Amino acid sequence: MIAKLLRLQPHQPLTSEAAKSAPLAIQGLSVAYHHKPVVWDLSFIAPAQGLVAVVGPNGAGKSTFIKAALGLIPKLSGEITVYGKSVASQRHLIGYVPQRGSVDWDFPASALDVVTMGLYGKIGWLRPVRKAHRAAALGYLEQVGMADFADRQIGQLSGGQQQRVFLARALAQDAALYFMDEPFVGVDAATERAIVNVLKDLKDQGKTVICVHHDLQSAPDYFDHALILNIRPVASGPMAEAFTAENLQHAYGGRLAPSELSGLIPLAGQ
Amino acid sequence: MLTELLDILSFQGGYNTSVVLLGSALLGMAGGVIGVFSLLRKRALISDAISHATLPGITLGFLVALALTGTGKSLPFLMTGATISGILGVLLVQWIKDNTRLPEDSAIGTVLSSFFGLGVVLMSYIQTLRDGSQAGLESYLLGSTASMLQSEAEMIAVFALLITLTAAIFLKEFGLICFDPDYAASRGWSVSKIDLLMMALLLAVVVIGLKTVGLILIIALVIIPPVTARFWTDRLGLMVGISAFSGGISCFLGAGLSALTPDFPSGATIVLTATTLFLLSLFLAPRRGVLATGLRQIFFRYRISRRRALLSLGQGQPVLSSLFILLLKHEGTLDKNGQVTKLGQQKIRQMSRDQDLWNQYLSDYPEEAFAQKNWSLSMITDVLPPDLIHELEENLRLQQKVAG
């Protein structure tokens, strides 16, 4: 059933039953920066309970796709629904892990302060952060193995530790649909494992994660679905169907080294 | 002279002076609080555009008031004019940034100098009117508390309190927007509205501070106290508090000094007081100050040398530096005859274990280790999370097995 849904369906209207219940349904999304299209006519329906790797070459519009889906940048055209309703009305269900390089780590905040930001939505406008909130935030830091670093200024953490703090902040939101932008970039293997464990937990809890991922080798191990982009969508669906050497070659063109491709070819036959 | 200053600062310099001092202190507090957020939002320079952009408004306000009421120096007219042209200035900066390829600093530079130029021309025109009431208008350039009316000081005090309270109420929201605006937007916080409120509070501080500090120097009120505060803390709440205190005390002392020496513009005395606090912090602040950084550098060398010395002892090599032999004797690693004590052996084992793990980290994750500032400086258990250390221990064991 899901396999059928996930094959590219360029112009299926979002009123379909499948789109209404999907964590994320996108129809004909196009985005441009300074008159240059970066994402072109993308339609995609995310599986309920699944880990989706968004892969594609540099400049393929992966981060742009995520930012547009979150409503952070204006889109040229297209419709986006989250569980059948507009993104703006479903924000409480959406979690976001931005790229680590997108913030100033010299900011006067501790690891715990940053995780507490994930609870601000629950706390609400103008209400102060209370002890109970900080205790809850500490629990999320614990989940990513960072409880001992709660009071450390965020600039004093290593890259992997900073990424874990970002992940804990997203967990604190207790969302149903997560967007993550390259969480595995520049992290140590222990952090990589910690992130993979968190992803598995999220999936087991019935959640959906859409994750920009740059490493083609590990993608089939960590994720069960793929969305392959190169400005235009190339393929999407369960890993075994979409993540084929043919599709990757199509997306990456000559930029994919033959050795990288050869490692993946067995997948095509699965 | 000193007793006079103490009299003024202890509110015994007359009721009017006392009200002016109190108003100035509250103004400094408000500037310190809102300044933290413009600094962290990386918009500190926009306050310079706002303040310079107010001059045409002040002069036009003067001319309108002169035409309508017969006297130009009416504070409500001047403030309204200042606010309107300040807003125009900000909008123009924003427009240039959005519609051209100019970066923000060029846009700010262009707007502030053009508005200021226009203001100076209008001011020179007013000087030719020979109306008499224009005397003192130039005090808006460098600030003057000497001519301040009690009603003006009271108005400044009330607005300053309101600004501070508003910023305090929005501490959580402002902090979130300053740290990670994209994330905030993804959670549904209206970044543009919160930004607008921050800008409005900044504009309000500039406008009510014009008379006291003057438009040329008012940028100091929203920049110096926050950077002073940043030296002392890594926590946002504390930074706001320290900045408020440092801004408040600077304006209080500065206005007091100016009351004592009416020939000095109060803006200058206030800024110099704030600068003094800044310099003290720059040198003396723990951890971030220059002195602390220097001491840390010395301590850093000591730690490296001590680590090297312990590792050499572990490999059966003698410690060469006589200074270090003394130090190691002092800490009990060596006994009087230069032999390693029991405690010393424990320390040596611990240190070589730590160094092995650091080396393992370097070979397993070269990039991570390279970026790790504490590599081989602190004990690894203080720096890396337990799961990673466990992994390094496993890898180390495997490797030693292979080697053995």
Side-chain angles (χ1 to χ4, degrees):
Chain A
M1 169 75 176
I2 287 177
K4 191 171 145 244
L5 283 179
L6 279 168
R7 228 159 269 140
L8 282 179
Q9 298 149 321
H11 292 294
Q12 184 189 4
L14 289 187
T15 46
S16 75
E17 283 307 309
K20 266 187 199 161
S21 62
L24 174 72
I26 294 178
Q27 156 87 50
L29 174 72
S30 296
V31 187
Y33 278 134
H34 300 298
H35 306 292
K36 185 188 182 303
V38 185
V39 172
W40 190 253
D41 199 17
L42 171 70
S43 295
F44 174 67
I45 292 179
Q49 188 174 28
L51 306 175
V52 183
V54 181
V55 296
N58 288 334
K62 304 185 294 282
S63 293
T64 308
F65 154 65
I66 281 195
K67 284 187 179 165
L70 284 163
L72 298 181
I73 50 176
K75 51 188 197 284
L76 282 180
S77 65
E79 272 179 76
I80 302 167
T81 59
V82 171
Y83 295 104
K85 292 185 190 147
S86 74
V87 177
S89 65
Q90 300 280 53
R91 295 240 178 247
H92 59 287
L93 296 175
I94 304 175
Y96 178 37
V97 180
Q99 276 184 20
R100 187 158 51 83
S102 64
V103 301
D104 173 13
W105 291 94
D106 194 40
F107 195 86
S110 66
L112 191 66
D113 291 338
V114 173
V115 178
T116 311
M117 289 176 188
L119 297 167
Y120 281 9
K122 267 179 220 153
I123 298 171
W125 279 96
L126 305 187
R127 288 166 201 274
V129 175
R130 299 197 185 284
K131 259 197 184 141
H133 300 129
R134 302 199 140 255
L138 191 62
Y140 292 108
L141 267 181
E142 184 119 48
Q143 274 189 37
V144 295
M146 286 284 294
D148 293 346
F149 299 83
D151 287 328
R152 196 165 292 191
Q153 196 269 329
I154 49 176
Q156 313 287 322
L157 301 171
S158 75
Q161 292 167 340
Q162 291 173 344
Q163 194 66 61
R164 294 195 207 194
V165 171
F166 260 13
L167 198 63
R169 179 177 70 171
L171 291 178
Q173 290 174 225
D174 195 21
L177 168 66
Y178 284 93
F179 290 94
M180 302 188 184
D181 203 344
E182 306 248 29
F184 292 103
V185 163
V187 304
D188 54 83
T191 297
E192 189 153 340
R193 272 198 307 277
I195 299 176
V196 169
N197 285 335
V198 167
L199 290 180
K200 278 185 189 143
D201 285 349
L202 289 174
K203 191 192 166 188
D204 291 344
Q205 292 162 29
K207 302 182 174 186
T208 299
V209 181
I210 316 268
C211 181
V212 174
H213 192 63
H214 68 294
D215 182 17
L216 293 180
Q217 302 296 332
S218 58
D221 299 334
Y222 295 168
F223 299 93
D224 45 32
H225 289 76
L227 167 61
I228 304 175
L229 277 184
N230 189 5
I231 299 181
R232 293 177 311 111
V234 173
S236 66
M239 202 43 89
E241 287 176 30
F243 205 75
T244 62
E246 191 191 350
N247 284 338
L248 289 169
Q249 183 92 65
H250 191 52
Y252 284 77
R255 275 178 284 186
L256 202 61
S259 60
E260 282 181 276
L261 212 53
S262 65
L264 297 166
I265 281 174
L267 263 172
Q270 278 179 14
Chain B
M1 172 105 175
L2 194 64
T3 47
E4 281 176 61
L5 181 62
L6 284 177
D7 274 352
I8 290 171
L9 294 182
S10 55
F11 297 112
Q12 283 156 10
Y15 185 68
N16 196 42
T17 313
S18 302
V19 175
V20 168
L21 277 190
L22 196 67
S24 303
L26 290 172
L27 168 72
M29 181 176 79
V33 169
I34 196 66
V36 167
F37 299 108
S38 8
L39 185 76
L40 293 176
R41 192 83 175 92
K42 312 216 181 299
R43 290 201 172 142
L45 276 182
I46 196 82
S47 48
D48 212 19
I50 295 179
S51 60
H52 283 74
T54 55
L55 190 56
I58 294 171
T59 48
L60 287 173
F62 180 93
L63 290 173
V64 171
L66 189 64
L68 292 181
T69 66
T71 173
K73 266 198 321 183
S74 146
L75 201 62
F77 278 96
L78 299 183
M79 297 271 144
T80 312
T83 309
I84 293 173
S85 72
I87 291 174
L88 275 178
V90 175
L91 289 179
L92 203 56
V93 169
Q94 193 64 39
W95 187 88
I96 292 176
K97 213 177 70 175
D98 290 346
N99 290 285
T100 70
R101 284 167 180 269
L102 284 179
E104 186 169 34
D105 54 352
S106 321
I108 288 175
T110 312
V111 168
L112 80 83
S113 46
S114 319
F115 273 68
F116 192 64
L118 178 64
V120 170
V121 167
L122 287 169
M123 207 157 172
S124 312
Y125 168 69
I126 289 171
Q127 302 294 350
T128 64
L129 289 179
R130 302 192 176 279
D131 162 68
S133 73
Q134 73 268 31
L137 197 56
E138 68 279 358
S139 73
Y140 281 91
L141 290 182
L142 290 172
S144 161
T145 44
S147 61
M148 193 182 282
L149 301 174
Q150 191 189 315
S151 60
E152 293 174 344
E154 283 166 359
M155 191 205 75
I156 290 173
V158 169
F159 272 97
L161 262 184
L162 281 178
I163 293 165
T164 309
L165 278 178
T166 314
I169 292 173
F170 280 93
L171 178 71
K172 172 169 118 275
E173 286 77 9
F174 285 179
L176 177 67
I177 297 290
C178 290
F179 176 60
D180 197 347
D182 265 3
Y183 177 76
S186 84
R187 303 291 295 125
W189 298 91
S190 173
V191 175
S192 54
K193 278 185 193 143
I194 297 174
D195 262 340
L196 193 67
L197 179 63
M198 278 199 270
M199 196 62 93
L201 294 180
L202 184 65
L203 179 74
V205 165
V206 168
V207 170
I208 64 167
L210 285 175
K211 179 90 180 174
T212 315
V213 191
L215 61 87
I216 294 179
L217 290 176
I218 198 153
I219 183 176
L221 213 59
V222 289
I223 290 187
I224 299 181
V227 292
T228 303
R230 189 67 185 89
F231 278 111
W232 297 91
T233 179
D234 274 335
R235 310 305 292 264
L236 179 61
L238 265 177
M239 184 178 167
V240 171
I242 296 173
S243 179
F245 176 76
S246 128
I249 207 86
S250 304
C251 281
F252 180 70
L253 289 175
L257 279 171
S258 169
L260 194 63
T261 53
D263 288 344
F264 291 170
S266 52
T269 52
I270 285 172
V271 170
L272 288 179
T273 316
T275 308
T276 310
L277 286 181
F278 168 76
L279 288 176
L280 285 176
S281 308
L282 174 70
F283 286 106
L284 300 180
R287 298 209 293 137
R288 283 186 166 244
V290 171
L291 205 64
T293 313
L295 282 176
R296 204 164 41 234
Q297 189 65 27
I298 294 171
F299 187 61
F300 163 82
R301 286 190 181 184
Y302 162 75
R303 273 196 306 178
I304 294 251
S305 309
R306 177 172 174 273
R307 178 177 280 259
R308 296 297 322 151
L310 284 178
L311 292 174
S312 315
L313 282 174
Q315 290 160 3
Q317 295 159 357
V319 174
L320 295 174
S321 151
S322 49
L323 177 67
F324 254 87
I325 293 176
L326 275 179
L327 280 169
L328 291 174
K329 278 182 185 169
H330 179 73
E331 65 167 47
T333 305
L334 299 177
D335 64 14
K336 269 180 283 179
N337 306 321
Q339 298 302 311
V340 180
T341 62
K342 252 196 180 148
L343 177 71
Q345 272 163 354
Q346 200 186 333
K347 282 183 183 174
I348 290 167
R349 263 200 308 278
Q350 207 183 359
M351 193 56 91
S352 11
R353 176 88 186 144
D354 188 72
Q355 190 60 45
D356 285 345
L357 285 173
W358 275 123
N359 291 342
Q360 190 66 34
Y361 184 47
L362 184 64
S363 68
D364 286 358
Y365 307 114
E367 280 174 35
E368 267 276 310
F370 190 69
Q372 174 56 254
K373 281 176 242 153
N374 281 310
W375 187 83
S376 181
L377 283 180
S378 306
M379 300 308 276
I380 196 165
T381 41
D382 297 340
V383 180
L384 300 180
D387 53 356
L388 181 55
I389 287 174
H390 184 70
E391 181 197 305
L392 293 174
E393 279 169 345
E394 284 296 309
N395 292 351
L396 189 62
R397 201 172 9 251
L398 279 176
Q399 240 169 44
Q400 280 167 348
K401 217 183 243 172
V402 173

